[in-house]
């Protein structure tokens, strides 16, 4: 028997291994097994298929054992992984790495130790080799990674190889099991005792008061088993006291495997009653599902889309099916989990990258078992979970750019991948949004998807009033107070005095987006990236948002040596500081990536804002998406122009979506809310279309330009990114590749062009863009691109070049 294996590495294709007779009855397709690759290095790899066809031309290595008994990929799951790899031009191994939690991506660790052999007099050692031998001891194995870190060596393998050849080192590969089941120690009776024997024990312990107290506590509990920690806490005893009773055979300690998932006792609710509009929409969705169509639910903010989702989820679960409920951001899971648990209790599992890895791995194992969660709430990575009876995938806020994976490979689009996942399982997809992506809306308008609408807010609440603050006019009259216009200050004053809450949206982190010399105009930039450094006042550092490098700010300009740096373009830190000056009595918090460094801190801010312990919430895009706060009556957009004036063909679409989403946080309950949008470009058509509030009208206005310039949704795009440390080599390689592609693809090829950030982490970047019309063979073009990239990389003149593909960028 032979097995075609997917290795968890960025290598193309499948690898064939021999299955020993001892494992033939145990292994099956979809299992994780141990194999050796590239020498003695061991990996937990995935069996894609089993067969009896021996490969020709080389000797096959054996499968060495089963790596994880509780994880197995179904045929549908394997098919899905291979589709992601093929469509998004990634290797199967890269998709496997994206699918599995870190603790299930098992691989051996290289350990080294010094031998007993003494170094001969004629042996010549380098400085690094001598340092290694000084650190290592005979028989005491140390991981190569730890040694490299300790000695500040980037790549220690050449030195290890040299010392091995000299007989001075031993090397071994060991497997460190990253995932372990959670254990709990419980106290039980040492053996069955009669009532008389228990009384005798009690009498015998009277001379040992601490033992007597613990035993009395155990008897009062009147149970056969009790958690060790609980017994010690309730009796106020030390562990040594319990040990004495165990040594006497009175009590014993047993270790039990327990779940990491917290099971809470709570009453299950039915949810809010549906309005007439919601009931009609629910029936329309079911009718479309019956015809085999996926559906776009286009509902304005606060129209009650979630209640429609809940009714559909309940009906699917009652049928014994599973539901995947996707959200674009981890931040949104905090509120929605509470809401769903009130309806579905403990039948919901949550999966995202913010969870501890051991918890993610346990959920994976549970979904592979006989009692999986019927409802899973997660972000885009939840697509790779195993499903046995998938019936529905809900993609909430389907327009959101966060559904697109950027780094590392595979660069998949969560929304589109969800559609394929559902198709493979024979399930349906419900796409929900107030402002759907142009691609989804076109699919709905052309009849590919069903389309239903919720045009009114739940309970007849009015959409918020939009007010525009013309910053150009205010600045001309010198009426601005820092970043705040008089219009925004006035509305904040009224809302806060009335006891309501305010959200301020600024799509920039830090205190100042960049610094600039007041004499020569120079701007401090990252030494490794072509981007300005962001100033963070709390930490007093300049930070690169791409490579993460930190620099201490200088008081005098580094370029001219005379000028001083001035703050430009305020971020959330500075907005927070200005609010404290303008409204000293207001309680405030910040919601951005820096402030929300932990899950507990994020939850605390959300809970405090819900309970009205915070008056003003300042944040980046985190505050714009799907959060529901009933006391918010004002949303302030500090700088709308930064969203509109962006070099991207989707800039206007995304600006409209984001402004509409953040506006939707205002006035969700009770009285009508207000939104103040600050801009220096009031005449821009986007603001007039936003004020009109009809997204379909905006689509009809903007989409002809997309068609004229041949951009999605009227074509498909593949972006080819080339990276190299040397700019000259990179340009030559990009021109060579562009010429080769144009020979066959013609005008479909655009570029090469320098992206917005032309260098990241000491690597220069260039882009090629391939536009592919409807009807052209997408798979053949992708295959040609891959073959061309292989030819380019094989040329020694371009050594060190990386070619990356981004399908549907």
């Amino acid at each position: 028997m032979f097995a075609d294996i997917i290795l968890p590495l960025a290598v193309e294709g499948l690898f064939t291994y021999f299955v020993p007779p001892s494992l033939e009855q145990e292994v099956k397709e979809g299992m994780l097994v141990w194999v050796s690759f590239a020498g003695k290095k061991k990996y937990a790899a995935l069996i894609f298929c089993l067969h009896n066809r021996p490969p020709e031309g080389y000797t096959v290595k054996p499968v060495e054992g089963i790596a994880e008994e509780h994880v197995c990929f179904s045929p549908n799951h394997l098919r899905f992984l291979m589709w992601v790899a093929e469509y998004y031009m990634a290797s199967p191994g890269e998709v496997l790495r994206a699918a599995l939690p870190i603790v299930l991506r098992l691989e051996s660790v290289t350990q080294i130790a010094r031998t007993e052999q003494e170094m001969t007099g004629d042996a010549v050692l380098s400085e690094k080799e001598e340092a290694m031998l000084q650190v290592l001891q005979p028989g005491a194995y140390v991981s190569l990674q730890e040694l490299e870190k300790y000695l500040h060596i980037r790549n220690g393998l050449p030195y290890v190889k040299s010392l091995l050849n000299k007989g001075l080192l031993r090397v071994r590969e060991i497997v460190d099991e990253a995932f372990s089941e959670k254990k709990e120690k419980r106290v039980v009776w040492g053996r069955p005792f009669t009532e008389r024997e228990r009384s005798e024990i009690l009498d015998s312990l009277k001379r040992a008061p601490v033992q007597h107290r613990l035993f009395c506590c155990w008897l009062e509990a009147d149970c056969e088993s009790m958690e060790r920690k609980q017994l010690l806490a309730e009796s106020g005893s030390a562990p040594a006291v319990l040990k004495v009773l165990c040594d006497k055979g009175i009590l014993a300690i047993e270790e039990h495997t327990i779940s990491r998932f917290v099971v809470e006792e709570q009453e299950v609710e039915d949810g809010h009653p549906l309005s007439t509009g919601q009931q009609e929409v629910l029936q329309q969705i079911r009718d479309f599902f019956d015809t085999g169509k996926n559906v776009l639910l286009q509902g304005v903010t606060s129209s009650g889309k979630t209640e429609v989702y809940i009714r559909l989820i309940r009906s699917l679960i009652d049928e014994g099916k599973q539901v995947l409920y996707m959200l674009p951001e981890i931040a949104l899971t905090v509120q929605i989990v509470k809401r769903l648990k009130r309806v579905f209790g403990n039948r919901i599992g949550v999966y995202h990258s913010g969870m501890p890895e051991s918890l993610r791995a346990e959920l994976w194992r549970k979904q592979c078992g006989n009692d999986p969660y019927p409802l899973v709430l997660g972000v885009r990575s939840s697509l790779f979970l195993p499903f046995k009876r998938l019936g529905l995938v809900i993609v909430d806020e389907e327009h959101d750019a966060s559904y697109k994976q950027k780094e590392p490979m595979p660069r998949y689009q969560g929304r589109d991948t969800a559609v394929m996942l559902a198709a493979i399982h024979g399930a349906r997809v419900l796409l929900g949004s107030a402002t759907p992506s142009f691609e989804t809306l076109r699919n709905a308008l052309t009849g590919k998807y069903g389309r239903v609408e919720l045009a009114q807010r739940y309970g007849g609440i009015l959409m918020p009033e939009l007010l525009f603050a013309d910053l150009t006019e205010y600045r001309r009259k010198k009426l601005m107070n820092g970043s705040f216009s008089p219009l925004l200050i006035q509305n904040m004053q009224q809302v806060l005095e009335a006891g309501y809450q305010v959200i301020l949206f600024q799509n920039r982190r830090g205190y100042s987006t960049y610094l600039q010399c007041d004499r020569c105009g120079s701007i401090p930039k990252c030494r490794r990236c072509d981007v300005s450094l962001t100033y963070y006042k709390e930490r007093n550092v300049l930070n690169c948002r791409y490579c993460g490098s930190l620099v201490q700010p200088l008081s005098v300009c580094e370029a001219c040596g005379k000028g001083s740096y001035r703050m430009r373009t305020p971020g959330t830190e500075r907005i927070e500081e200005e609010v404290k000056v303008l409204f000293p009595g207001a309680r405030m918090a910040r919601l951005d990536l820096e402030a929300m460094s932990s899950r507990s801190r994020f939850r605390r801010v959300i809970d405090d804002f819900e309970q009205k312990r915070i008056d003003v919430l300042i944040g980046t895009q985190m505050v714009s998406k799907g959060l529901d706060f009933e006391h918010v009556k004002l949303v302030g957009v500090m700088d709308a122009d930064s969203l509109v004036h962006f070099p991207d063909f989707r800039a206007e679409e995304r600006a409209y979506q984001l402004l509409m989403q953040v506006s939707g946080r205002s006035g969700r309950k009770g009285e009508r809310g207000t939104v103040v949008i600050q801009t220096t470009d009031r005449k821009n058509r986007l603001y007039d279309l936003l004020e009109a509030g009809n997204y379909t009208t905006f689509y009809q206005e903007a989409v002809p330009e997309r068609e004229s310039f041949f951009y999605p949704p009227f074509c498909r795009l593949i972006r080819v990114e080339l990276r190299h440390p040397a700019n000259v080599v990179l340009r030559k390689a990009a021109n060579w590749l562009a010429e080769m592609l144009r020979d066959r693809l013609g005008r479909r090829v655009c570029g090469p062009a320098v992206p917005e950030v032309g260098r990241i982490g000491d690597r220069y970047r260039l882009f090629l863009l391939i536009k592919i019309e409807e009807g052209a063979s997408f798979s053949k073009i992708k295959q040609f691109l891959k073959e061309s990239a292989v030819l380019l990389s094989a040329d020694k003149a371009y050594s060190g070049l990386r070619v990356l593909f981004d399908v549907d960028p």
Side-chain angles (χ1 to χ4, degrees):
M1 184 185 286
F2 296 90
D4 287 344
I5 297 284
I6 298 175
L7 286 159
L9 302 170
V11 288
E12 286 292 339
L14 305 176
F15 295 82
T16 303
Y17 285 78
F18 166 64
V19 180
S22 59
L23 291 175
E24 284 186 3
Q25 300 302 315
E26 296 181 49
V27 299
K28 57 183 178 180
E29 292 176 357
M31 290 189 81
L32 292 175
V33 293
W34 287 115
V35 296
S36 295
F37 184 76
K40 295 181 179 180
K41 187 81 172 174
K42 292 182 175 62
Y43 296 93
L46 177 64
I47 297 180
F48 180 72
C49 69
L50 295 168
H51 56 85
N52 294 308
R53 302 181 303 276
E56 297 178 3
Y58 64 92
T59 305
V60 290
K61 292 182 178 181
V63 171
E64 298 177 23
I66 296 171
E68 176 57 65
E69 294 179 0
H70 302 284
V71 171
C72 191
F73 290 69
S74 68
N76 279 342
H77 205 168
L78 292 173
R79 184 180 160 201
F80 173 67
L81 293 186
M82 295 305 285
W83 178 86
V84 173
E86 189 279 327
Y87 185 82
Y88 289 103
M89 302 179 73
S91 67
E94 288 171 320
V95 179
L96 179 61
R97 288 185 69 84
L100 289 171
I102 290 173
V103 294
L104 294 180
R105 294 182 217 154
L106 302 172
E107 59 184 68
S108 64
V109 177
T110 304
Q111 290 191 330
I112 56 178
R114 189 170 175 174
T115 62
E116 302 288 346
Q117 180 179 323
E118 293 294 329
M119 191 174 58
T120 58
D122 58 345
V124 179
L125 299 179
S126 70
E127 185 182 338
K128 300 290 186 186
E129 290 170 355
E130 286 182 357
M132 278 187 172
L133 290 179
Q134 287 175 5
V135 171
L136 296 171
Q137 299 295 323
Y141 283 91
V142 176
S143 78
L144 177 58
Q145 190 177 3
E146 289 175 4
L147 190 65
E148 288 172 337
K149 190 175 179 180
Y150 181 76
L151 296 175
H152 304 290
I153 300 173
R154 180 170 289 184
N155 180 15
L157 282 174
Y159 309 113
V160 170
K161 194 172 182 180
S162 173
L163 291 170
L164 273 172
N165 292 335
K166 295 181 174 80
L168 299 173
L169 285 188
R170 285 195 184 95
V171 176
R172 71 178 184 185
E173 292 286 329
I174 66 155
V175 176
D176 192 10
E177 294 284 345
F179 177 77
S180 59
E181 294 176 323
K182 189 176 182 180
K183 304 288 185 180
E184 179 184 76
K185 290 183 177 179
R186 300 191 69 84
V187 180
V188 296
W189 285 106
R191 65 173 178 81
F193 291 100
T194 64
E195 286 297 325
R196 183 178 175 182
E197 286 175 322
R198 293 180 186 185
S199 298
E200 289 172 356
I201 293 169
L202 197 61
D203 291 337
S204 69
L205 292 176
K206 285 182 179 178
R207 294 181 181 178
V210 288
Q211 294 177 36
H212 185 268
R213 185 173 70 242
L214 189 148
F215 190 68
C216 286
C217 185
W218 168 253
L219 290 175
E220 288 168 6
D222 191 25
C223 59
E224 295 299 317
S225 171
M226 190 176 186
E227 191 181 353
R228 177 176 173 271
K229 285 181 182 178
Q230 183 184 348
L231 179 60
L232 293 175
E234 290 182 3
S235 64
S237 305
V241 180
L242 178 59
K243 186 177 184 300
V244 172
L245 293 179
C246 292
D247 291 342
K248 290 178 178 179
I250 299 169
L251 299 176
I253 295 176
E254 292 181 350
E255 199 170 61
H256 295 262
T257 299
I258 61 169
S259 172
R260 287 181 168 87
F261 301 112
V262 178
V263 178
E264 301 170 352
E265 292 293 330
Q266 58 185 43
E267 292 184 12
V268 176
E269 303 173 0
D270 288 334
H272 298 292
L274 295 185
S275 66
T276 305
Q278 287 173 316
Q279 290 173 3
E280 291 173 358
V281 159
L282 181 60
Q283 187 56 50
Q284 289 170 3
I285 292 170
R286 285 174 172 157
D287 292 343
F288 276 122
F289 283 172
D290 289 341
T291 64
K293 281 190 175 182
N294 297 323
V295 179
L296 166 64
L297 170 54
Q298 187 175 348
V300 298
T301 55
S302 196
S303 59
K305 294 188 290 294
T306 306
E307 284 301 323
V308 176
Y309 299 159
I310 287 171
R311 295 305 193 281
L312 287 167
I313 292 167
R314 182 182 286 144
S315 63
L316 265 292
I317 291 176
D318 289 344
E319 293 172 16
K321 300 285 184 66
Q322 290 176 291
V323 178
L324 172 60
Y325 188 146
M326 290 177 62
L327 294 167
E329 296 268 12
I330 295 171
L332 300 182
T333 60
V334 175
Q335 275 195 325
I336 199 69
V337 164
K338 286 183 185 176
R339 190 167 174 183
L340 292 176
K341 280 198 171 181
R342 286 199 294 267
V343 179
F344 299 105
N346 294 306
R347 294 187 293 172
I348 175 173
V350 182
Y351 189 82
H352 55 72
S353 58
M355 298 164 60
E357 286 297 329
S358 55
L359 200 60
R360 295 180 78 200
E362 188 153 330
L363 191 136
W364 244 88
R365 298 177 92 186
K366 181 176 176 64
Q367 295 307 98
C368 286
N370 296 322
D371 185 29
Y373 283 116
L375 171 59
V376 175
L377 178 73
V379 293
R380 61 176 182 264
S381 58
S382 60
L383 286 163
F384 294 105
L385 283 169
F387 293 98
K388 294 186 174 182
R389 304 179 301 276
L390 188 64
L392 175 65
V393 181
I394 297 170
V395 186
D396 199 15
E397 311 292 356
E398 66 82 28
H399 65 274
D400 200 289
S402 299
Y403 278 120
K404 175 67 175 178
Q405 167 79 2
K406 295 179 176 64
E407 293 283 351
M409 292 286 276
R411 294 173 168 179
Y412 62 99
Q413 162 56 259
R415 176 195 65 230
D416 301 341
T417 308
V419 172
M420 179 51 68
L421 175 71
I424 288 172
H425 285 268
R428 296 286 166 259
V429 180
L430 179 61
L431 306 166
S433 177
T435 53
S437 65
F438 279 17
E439 289 86 349
T440 298
L441 189 52
R442 183 168 184 256
N443 282 335
L445 293 173
T446 56
K448 184 177 180 181
Y449 294 163
R451 183 191 184 199
V452 296
E453 293 186 78
L454 281 170
Q456 303 294 325
R457 281 187 157 185
Y458 185 81
I461 296 167
L462 294 173
M463 293 296 288
E465 180 186 10
L466 295 186
L467 303 176
F468 293 88
D470 190 341
L471 299 190
T472 304
E473 188 65 17
Y474 284 128
R475 283 169 183 162
R476 187 181 66 80
K477 295 178 180 178
K478 298 184 179 178
L479 294 174
M480 290 294 291
N481 196 328
S483 306
F484 289 78
S485 63
L487 180 63
L488 181 54
I489 292 171
Q490 179 190 342
N491 277 272
M492 285 182 69
Q493 190 116 30
Q494 291 172 356
V495 167
L496 293 173
E497 285 176 357
Y500 291 113
Q501 295 171 299
V502 178
I503 289 178
L504 296 177
F505 170 63
Q506 173 68 325
N507 204 28
R508 293 189 178 95
R509 303 192 306 243
Y511 188 83
S512 177
T513 308
Y514 65 96
L515 306 181
Q516 188 170 28
C517 175
D518 59 6
R519 190 179 182 95
C520 70
S522 70
I523 297 169
K525 291 188 175 181
C526 176
R527 297 183 188 277
R528 302 182 66 222
C529 310
D530 288 341
V531 67
S532 59
L533 295 167
T534 302
Y535 177 62
Y536 292 85
K537 191 175 182 180
E538 282 184 4
R539 294 180 286 158
N540 191 34
V541 293
L542 290 166
N543 177 222
C544 175
R545 64 183 182 275
Y546 286 94
C547 71
S549 59
L550 301 173
V551 179
Q552 285 296 318
L554 301 172
S555 56
V556 179
C557 175
E558 195 174 16
C560 67
K562 296 177 181 178
S564 300
Y565 288 119
R566 294 283 179 265
M567 308 288 179
R568 306 293 187 204
T569 316
T572 49
E573 276 187 20
R574 187 164 165 187
I575 299 299
E576 183 182 26
E577 187 179 273
E578 290 180 12
V579 172
K580 287 177 181 176
V581 174
L582 291 169
F583 302 96
R587 299 163 298 175
M588 66 197 67
R590 212 171 74 240
L591 200 66
D592 59 27
L593 200 60
E594 276 68 36
M596 300 298 104
S597 54
S598 68
R599 288 183 300 149
S600 59
R601 190 172 177 184
F602 178 83
R603 270 200 205 94
R604 189 166 63 248
V605 169
I606 295 295
D607 289 342
D608 286 348
F609 200 62
E610 277 183 323
Q611 301 301 321
K612 290 190 71 175
R613 291 190 286 267
I614 295 171
D615 302 312
V616 182
L617 185 63
I618 303 148
T620 53
Q621 289 191 37
M622 282 185 177
V623 300
S624 71
K625 302 174 184 178
L627 296 171
D628 188 3
F629 303 112
E630 61 178 297
H631 303 293
V632 173
K633 295 300 175 189
L634 174 66
V635 168
V637 180
M638 305 305 300
D639 182 13
D641 298 335
S642 63
L643 306 172
V644 181
H645 301 146
F646 196 77
D648 188 279
F649 72 92
R650 287 194 178 96
E652 198 173 43
E653 176 190 353
R654 291 207 172 133
Y656 188 106
Q657 290 166 342
L658 192 54
L659 290 171
M660 185 60 77
Q661 287 293 325
V662 74
S663 300
R665 303 314 106 205
S666 179
R668 296 174 73 88
K669 303 277 170 63
E671 297 177 16
R672 188 185 189 190
T674 306
V675 180
V676 176
I677 298 175
Q678 298 191 148
T679 173
T680 58
D681 186 20
R682 178 61 186 91
K683 293 181 180 179
N684 192 302
R685 72 169 182 178
L686 178 76
Y687 299 126
D688 293 330
L689 291 164
L690 193 70
E691 196 171 20
N694 190 315
Y695 188 73
T696 306
T697 303
F698 166 67
Y699 171 84
Q700 291 167 346
E701 183 90 13
V703 84
E705 295 174 5
R706 296 274 189 94
E707 190 171 14
S708 298
F709 291 97
F710 198 46
Y711 276 106
F714 299 98
C715 74
R716 294 158 101 178
L717 300 179
I718 299 176
R719 188 169 65 200
V720 186
E721 181 181 348
L722 294 92
R723 299 178 184 175
H724 197 276
N727 199 15
V728 174
V729 175
L730 178 68
R731 288 188 174 278
K732 285 182 180 178
N735 289 331
W736 184 94
L737 182 60
E739 189 176 336
M740 175 180 251
L741 296 180
R742 282 196 182 96
D743 283 345
R744 182 162 164 184
L745 302 179
R747 295 181 62 186
R748 296 186 182 101
V749 182
C750 306
V754 180
E756 182 192 0
V757 181
R759 181 172 60 106
I760 295 177
D762 288 328
R763 282 185 170 268
Y764 292 93
R765 307 161 73 222
L766 284 174
F767 285 169
L768 291 167
L769 193 65
I770 318 298
K771 294 182 176 182
I772 304 165
E773 70 277 13
E774 293 177 1
S777 176
F778 202 46
S779 57
K780 286 182 179 178
I781 291 174
K782 287 190 292 186
Q783 185 59 36
F784 174 61
L785 289 173
K786 277 191 170 185
E787 291 169 357
S788 302
V790 168
L791 283 174
L792 179 63
S793 300
D795 193 331
K796 291 182 179 179
Y798 306 123
S799 177
L801 179 74
R802 288 197 68 194
V803 182
L804 303 169
F805 299 103
D806 191 355
V807 179
D808 302 330

